[in-house]
């Protein structure tokens, strides 16, 4: 007697490839979106040069050799704006810039206090604030008069 094979009469097995290709495509897209193609910055070759116009050894003015904070006072004297950087008067903004740049190259993490007189315009105060930000002073404060 002949036995009937259980494998007779079965249809051939077909594997649907479309869903598998879709899954592989989605995985590929996911890994491309999450990949970082940015060059790591610390591995780039670079050289550090001192700021323009300064030598390798930047020295503060002798009367400012040791300072804990930089105070910029803006006052009007005889109708003229005077900037006093740590009580050193300067009569032109480029001179203030040069002195503050020297101080910033030495120590830019000291508090810089901007103390404006009541008669000084807001634009002049903003000029000093912008200058301090440009020179990378990290702690900029404003002095105010306490009224009782």
């Amino acid at each position: 007697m002949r036995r009937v094979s259980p494998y007779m009469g079965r249809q051939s097995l077909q594997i649907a490839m479309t869903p598998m290709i879709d899954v592989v495509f989605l995985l590929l897209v996911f890994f491309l979106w999450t990949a970082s193609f940015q060059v790591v910055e610390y591995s780039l070759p670079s050289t550090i040069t001192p700021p323009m116009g300064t030598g390798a050894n930047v020295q503060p003015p002798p009367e400012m050799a040791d300072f804990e904070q930089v105070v910029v006072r803006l006052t009007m004297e005889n109708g003229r704006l005077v900037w006093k950087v740590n009580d050193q008067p300067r009569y032109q903004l480029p001179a203030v810039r040069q002195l503050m740049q020297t101080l910033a190259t030495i120590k830019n993490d000291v508090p810089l206090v901007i103390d404006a007189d009541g008669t000084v315009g807001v634009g002049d105060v903003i000029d000093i604030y912008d200058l301090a930000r440009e020179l990378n002073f990290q702690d900029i404060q404003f002095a105010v008069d306490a009224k009782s």
Side-chain angles (χ1 to χ4, degrees):
M1 180 166 189
R2 192 164 196 207
R3 249 180 174 188
V4 179
S5 172
Y7 299 108
M8 292 289 285
R10 283 193 175 178
Q11 295 179 352
S12 65
L13 182 64
Q14 292 183 359
I15 300 175
M17 293 298 291
T18 306
M20 188 183 302
I21 292 172
D22 288 345
V23 169
V24 170
F25 178 71
L26 288 173
L27 286 173
L28 179 66
V29 169
F30 172 76
F31 287 119
L32 284 176
W33 279 345
T34 59
S36 175
F37 296 107
Q38 197 173 29
V39 177
V40 181
E41 289 184 20
Y42 60 84
S43 66
L44 295 175
S46 63
T47 57
I48 299 175
T49 58
M52 297 285 290
T54 61
N57 52 359
V58 177
Q59 296 293 328
E63 57 274 358
M64 289 187 169
D66 186 29
F67 55 93
E68 294 179 7
Q69 68 180 2
V70 176
V71 179
V72 180
R73 286 190 175 85
L74 289 85
T75 59
M76 294 296 279
E77 294 179 2
N78 298 329
R80 184 176 179 189
L81 181 62
V82 177
W83 297 270
K84 292 182 182 177
V85 181
N86 284 358
D87 294 327
Q88 291 185 358
R90 297 288 189 258
Y91 299 100
Q92 295 180 350
L93 192 57
V96 175
R97 178 189 209 33
Q98 182 179 10
L99 181 58
M100 285 177 61
Q101 185 173 17
T102 303
L103 294 173
T105 55
I106 296 166
K107 197 173 185 183
N108 68 341
D109 59 344
V110 298
L112 182 123
V113 180
I114 300 174
D115 185 9
D117 207 8
T119 58
V120 175
V122 175
D124 296 321
V125 176
I126 291 174
D127 288 341
I128 293 296
Y129 177 77
D130 289 342
L131 178 62
R133 295 280 301 192
E134 182 181 327
L135 295 175
N136 292 327
F137 276 99
Q138 297 174 1
D139 186 11
I140 303 171
Q141 302 172 2
F142 289 95
V144 295
D145 291 332
K147 295 191 179 190
S148 304

